[in-house]
Amino acid sequence: GEDVEQSLFLSVREGDSSVINCTYTDSSSTYLYWYKQEPGAGLQLLTYIFSNMDMKQDQRLTVLLNKKDKHLSLRIADTQTGDSAIYFCAQKGDYKLSFGAGTTVTVRA
Amino acid sequence: NAGVMQNPRHLVRRRGQEARLRCSPMKGHSHVYWYRQLPEEGLKFMVYLQKENIIDESGMPKERFSAEFPKEGPSILRIQQVVRGDSAAYFCASSPESETYGYTFGSGTRLTVV
């Protein structure tokens, strides 16, 4: 199976919070990442969390890490139309990143 | 300080032709990674290079694909005798060292094989 799994789609109303979930397999991962990809564009690093942390907050973004369950989540507060994109969860091994298939977030008015 | 530069952005090749994808890492970055994104999938690791060295090519298909990162100039991902299944977005990332937390990705080259 895939090393990193995430749900494929999320629809959220503008102004609400979005929560994107991810599970990973490599318990030795040092860093876990969230990347954003807009249509036809490259990957933009949104945020990352070091494996010895439980939570990281950066403006509208909150990352929660549950190492016991190997579960990572990204919460986007006050979701805006510009947040519509594909969000990828990734775990870092030695130097390789393993990505999930991406969650397509659609923000509706 | 320019980011990771990839060119071309879009590349169309007929079956059987060769495709050459270029990647110039960020200034000061000596590590380059290539990833492939098939339609509606996540990125898959292909190869990790340092200057004049291939460190890990475990994600590269055994035939037709090769990569290099010469002492001077960009990293090149070369696909010989392309087939329709090679159609994908190819992303390059760079880092200053392998143990860094951060990888900077380029905008990708979208290869279409017709």
Side-chain angles (χ1 to χ4, degrees):
Chain A
E2 294 295 324
D3 293 336
V4 180
E5 292 190 355
Q6 46 184 132
S7 53
L8 293 181
F9 301 100
L10 176 67
S11 178
V12 61
R13 195 164 49 191
E14 189 175 9
D16 287 352
S17 291
S18 309
V19 179
I20 308 168
N21 294 299
C22 166
T23 57
Y24 62 97
T25 56
D26 186 358
S27 57
S28 66
S29 287
T30 51
Y31 290 98
L32 295 130
Y33 304 84
W34 285 103
Y35 282 87
K36 177 183 179 183
Q37 185 181 36
E38 297 184 46
L43 272 71
Q44 171 195 353
L45 176 63
L46 272 182
T47 187
Y48 66 94
I49 187 166
F50 190 50
S51 57
N52 68 353
M53 297 169 65
D54 298 324
M55 185 182 88
K56 180 179 180 182
Q57 188 152 3
D58 183 3
Q59 298 183 331
R60 292 192 297 124
L61 305 178
T62 303
V63 178
L64 296 178
L65 175 59
N66 181 330
K67 284 194 71 174
K68 176 176 168 288
D69 295 337
K70 298 192 186 72
H71 182 266
L72 183 73
S73 68
L74 174 69
R75 177 176 179 268
I76 306 172
D78 186 25
T79 310
Q80 303 297 307
T81 54
D83 295 324
S84 291
I86 303 175
Y87 291 80
F88 291 96
C89 169
Q91 63 180 2
K92 179 178 182 286
D94 290 342
Y95 44 77
K96 299 177 193 177
L97 297 181
S98 296
F99 287 85
T103 300
T104 299
V105 173
T106 303
V107 181
R108 59 187 193 277
Chain B
N1 185 14
V4 177
M5 304 301 292
Q6 289 189 249
N7 66 81
R9 289 292 305 273
H10 300 274
L11 182 60
V12 179
R13 284 286 178 266
R14 296 186 185 277
R15 280 180 294 170
Q17 290 185 319
E18 178 180 285
R20 278 181 181 248
L21 288 63
R22 294 174 191 78
C23 168
S24 296
M26 279 187 73
K27 188 176 180 180
H29 287 193
S30 58
H31 299 243
V32 166
Y33 316 81
W34 285 92
Y35 287 80
R36 177 165 67 174
Q37 184 181 28
L38 293 170
E40 298 183 4
E41 292 188 15
L43 279 72
K44 303 292 186 191
F45 170 81
M46 298 182 75
V47 62
Y48 163 35
L49 309 108
Q50 295 176 22
K51 287 280 188 183
E52 299 184 284
N53 278 307
I54 298 174
I55 307 302
D56 181 349
E57 56 181 349
S58 58
M60 291 274 274
K62 293 287 184 282
E63 297 177 350
R64 302 185 298 109
F65 284 71
S66 62
E68 63 176 6
F69 188 17
K71 188 176 179 182
E72 301 290 337
S75 175
I76 306 286
L77 179 67
R78 183 181 176 211
I79 311 172
Q80 295 178 288
Q81 299 172 339
V82 296
V83 300
R84 288 229 170 96
D86 297 332
S87 295
Y90 292 82
F91 290 96
C92 170
S94 71
S95 70
E97 57 187 60
S98 63
E99 292 305 312
T100 184
Y101 71 84
Y103 300 83
T104 303
F105 279 84
S107 298
T109 293
R110 280 152 182 84
L111 172 65
T112 303
V113 179
V114 297

